[in-house]
Every structure is written in C-alpha cells, then in structure tokens.
Amino acid sequence: MIHIKRRYAMVAAATSLLLSALPCAAQAQQQQILIGQTVGVTGSAAATVKESMQGAALYFQHVNAQGGIAGRKIEVITLDDKFDPKLTLENARTLIEEKQVTALFMPRGTPHTQDLIPLLDKHGVPLVGPSTGAMSLHQPVPKNIFHVRATYQREVEMAIDHMVSQGQSRFAVLHVDDAFGQDGLAGAKKGFATHKLEPTAIETFNRSKPDFSASAPRILASKAQVTFVIGTGSAVVDGIVALRNAGYGGQIITLSNNASGGFVKALGDKARGIIVTQVFPSERSMAYPLIQELQRVAKSQGVTETSPAMVEGFASAKVLVEGLRRAAPNIDRARLHGALESMSKYDIGGLELSYGPSDHTGMNFADLSIIGTDGKFRR
C-alpha cells in the first residue's frame, strides 16, 4: 500500500510538473513576433535587395537588443521569390497561411505587390513598406498596404522639372514593359505635359529578356538630351551600357529603386554622371536625426558603409516597429492595422509620416542624386 501511494505521489508530481511547463512552452512560442518577407534575394534586383534588407536588419536587431516589443523579439522570415511575381504570391501564401506571420514587410516590385492585394484582404494582413512607388498601389487606397516611400510619378515629375530648369527640352523614355514601367511612363507624360513638351522617343524592353540592340540606336537618333531608363537592377545596367556603347552622350536618369551601391558597382565605368532619384535623405546627411540614428546603430553593429537602399530599409523597419509598439501588448493583425492607421504626423527622424483611412502613402520626400567619380551618390 505504501508503495502504491508513493508511486501515485510520484506520478502526480510528474503530472503537475508537466502541466506547469505547458504555459511556459506556450509563452515561449509567443516570445517572437513573426514578420514575413518575400523578396528577390536572388535575381535581377538582388543587389539593391541585399542592402535594403541589411538596413532593416540593423533596426530590428537594435530593437531586439533592447528587449523587443513588450518583451517579445521580432523575427523576420524571408523567402526568396527571385523577383518572380508568381513566386512572390506563393511565398506570401506560405508566410500568411502556414507561418501565421503578423505582417508582411518590404516586398519588391510593382506587379509582385499588386498580386498580393487579394491575399492580404482575405486574411487581414498589413503589409508595411513595399519597395515600389507605383501610383496604382496608392489610388485607390489599398486597405492593407502601408507605404513609406514617395511615388515613382513624383520622382519622375520632379526630375523633369529640374532638367527643364537646366535648359533641357528633349527627353526620351526607355521603360520595362510591365506595370512599373507603365507607371513611370505615366509620370513622365505628366511632367512633359506640364512643360508642354513631347518626348523624342519612347522605347520598351522585356522584363524577363531585355534586349536593347534596337532601342538604344533609336534613342541616339532621336537626339534626346535626357533619357529616363525605368526598370530594375541588372536590366537597367544593361540598358545604360547599351546606350553608352551606342554613342549616346546625353544625361541618363533612373529611379530610386536602383539607389544602391550594388547598382553602382554593376555599372562600373559607366556609373559616373548617372542621375538617380531618391526618396530619402542622403545616407551622409547628418542634419536628419534618421540618418544620425542609422549611422549610430550601424557603427554599433560593426557596419561601416551605408547606402540609400539601407536608409529605406532602416526607415521602413522603424515604421513597422512603431506600429507594433502601438499595437502592444496583445499584438495581432487587426490591432497592428489599427495602430498603423492611427499614425498621424509621426516623426521618423526629421521626416514626417502620416496614415489615415483615406491615405496610406506615408511620405512624399523626393530628391535627386548623381553618381560621382568615387561611386558615391552626391546630392
């Protein structure tokens, strides 16, 4: 009898220990806030993606080192979509339905992001900081997409205004044949109309298999003083090289999605003098508290070189973290959405960002940079 009682006591004690451990196990599962990212880690946009991801990681690691959000660390699950819209959608479905992420973060590409809208709406998942400025993702306002950067059309129109002020009047456009390219072209046409100008040439190239053998000579023959090359990464590099090899000596402008050190490196000796529009202050502009913070955090983590793409990643991560803080302690998709939409006149460091039910654009900052002889972006 004594042995039976003793055995019962041992079993009861073990059961009690197991039950007491269950809340701890459940709590451990809740210690991390899961954020999903599907982006072209490989593919034509890889160089810029690497730098924007590094900028975001700097801020997330900084926040985690300080205890995270309400005691919970942020974990970003990144899946490579190879800059293929079909893979973007497949990855997003995995992240949302299987990984149960709270939000998606910084996908890259206009058609890629557009394809996500039905999935986001179905599951009520906020998407913060898409690396695209397409107007179609701003108007009408998509319920679950929260932008951090300005629109591409604003970038193009601002660049045209500047070049016209410098006496230029002959413009050509070389753009990718997808939603991004059409959006950039629409911005260019608005800018041309403002100044009562007609483009000397409009040429397209295939996103999957770009070929500039015919378009580059036609732009040269049009005698354009300025040519916009609207596309992504390696395709834009190839387009610029083709123009220069064809003998084109005019000013070449591309958009902020190519504002990375990797893009400059890929251009090699063709980089100098290329104008790249920007949607954040210079990574060296210490007048902005955002840049001061980036440089301080980068230094603390042993990173010595920063770039415009890193600024965008850092700023987008900062916006997401602010939303998570406002949604804490019981963070879920719906609370995060409400928290983001409540952000009005939020100062991210010398730049003001605002969201509301009828406006998810965030910011409208735009500027121009030119690649110097040292391969740095100069303002």
Side-chain angles (χ1 to χ4, degrees), residues 274-325:
I274 302 297
I275 289 178
V276 182
T277 57
Q278 301 284 355
V279 288
F280 288 94
S282 167
E283 65 277 18
R284 295 181 298 278
S285 182
M286 301 303 284
Y288 288 88
L290 172 68
I291 305 304
Q292 295 175 24
E293 185 179 21
L294 167 62
Q295 296 295 350
R296 184 172 61 252
V297 171
K299 184 178 180 181
S300 72
Q301 296 182 30
V303 176
T304 58
E305 290 288 332
T306 55
S307 70
M310 289 177 67
V311 176
E312 181 173 352
F314 190 87
S316 297
K318 190 168 184 178
V319 171
L320 174 58
V321 166
E322 178 63 19
L324 292 170
R325 282 180 175 144

Side-chain angles (χ1 to χ4, degrees), residues 10-11 14 25 57 74 87 92 232 240 270 293 298 313 320 327 367:
M10 291 173 64
V11 171
I74 299 168
L87 281 178
T232 298
I240 291 173
K270 300 293 193 300
E293 185 179 21
L320 174 58
D367 198 4

